[in-house]
Amino acid sequence: MMEPTRAGAAMESTWQEERRNSKDRRSKPTSPFSLASLRGRRKQARRAEDAAVHRYVDLYDGSSVSWTFLTLLLSLTDAFLTLEITARGGTEVNPFMDFFLDLGPVPFILSKYILTALGLLWLLIHKNFGIFTESLSVHSLLRIFPVLYGCLIVYELILMYWPAEVTPASGL
């Protein structure tokens, strides 16, 4: 079998380019606000060399979405436990969230929900990006956050139900 020469390859390339009669649809990305973005099919980069360049996807795998919703649910659980702890005399140590807590329970829960949901949405959109290095990805953070929230909730439950022993200081 004969191998094509460079001239033949160049001629074939020119022939293919001439067949195209319209502008390349990939010259600019699809707007996230267009109807075409709702019909996307890309869950990951198709080629290995594209994985480093094209990190955004149209569809998200069930695992990433599940971890995101679990984190959001645990965040709301944290908000309600925080309200209960503050009702029992505890204080919110986060000054930003303490501001919303001073406005009342509804602004506190809404602000916590909205801020967490926006942050998680941003992480989900950027799930294929690396953090500092390629070995730690944003996708791994989506798995770590529920564990951290779980630890926080256990701590809050201990604060609520573990009997605190108060010993009087001697000599005062």
Side-chain angles (χ1 to χ4, degrees):
M1 186 176 227
M2 289 181 72
E3 292 185 28
T5 62
R6 290 225 181 258
M11 217 165 62
E12 186 177 313
S13 169
T14 305
W15 176 77
Q16 287 177 350
E17 289 173 11
E18 291 173 5
R19 281 186 20 192
R20 295 181 184 146
N21 56 7
S22 65
K23 185 179 175 187
D24 186 4
R25 64 178 170 77
R26 297 170 294 174
S27 63
K28 69 176 194 172
T30 304
S31 168
F33 303 109
S34 73
L35 290 176
S37 68
L38 298 176
R39 298 185 316 247
R41 297 180 298 181
R42 186 181 350 195
K43 288 186 179 180
Q44 60 189 15
R46 292 186 182 119
R47 294 174 212 87
E49 62 268 10
D50 288 345
V53 179
H54 305 289
R55 296 182 177 173
Y56 293 108
V57 295
D58 301 324
L59 298 174
Y60 299 95
D61 58 296
S63 170
S64 298
V65 174
S66 298
W67 287 114
T68 302
F69 279 120
L70 178 61
T71 304
L72 194 57
L73 177 69
L74 291 172
S75 173
L76 286 174
T77 304
D78 168 48
F80 285 108
L81 289 175
T82 300
L83 288 174
E84 182 62 28
I85 290 170
T86 56
R88 294 180 181 197
T91 58
E92 170 65 58
V93 295
N94 181 346
F96 185 74
M97 292 309 296
D98 190 43
F99 169 78
F100 291 107
L101 189 58
D102 288 342
L103 297 177
V106 173
F108 174 74
I109 291 174
L110 282 176
S111 64
K112 183 159 183 74
Y113 178 80
I114 290 170
L115 291 171
T116 305
L118 288 175
L120 288 171
L121 179 64
W122 189 88
L123 288 173
L124 184 64
I125 290 170
H126 294 89
K127 75 179 187 74
N128 292 332
F129 284 74
I131 302 172
F132 305 119
T133 64
E134 293 300 318
S135 61
L136 179 65
S137 68
V138 173
H139 188 261
S140 61
L141 286 181
L142 292 174
R143 295 179 180 184
I144 293 171
F145 285 146
V147 173
L148 295 175
Y149 263 114
C151 293
L152 177 62
I153 288 170
V154 167
Y155 173 70
E156 289 173 328
L157 290 172
I158 289 171
L159 285 178
M160 288 173 52
Y161 296 110
W162 198 279
E165 294 182 24
V166 179
T167 57
S170 60
L172 287 180

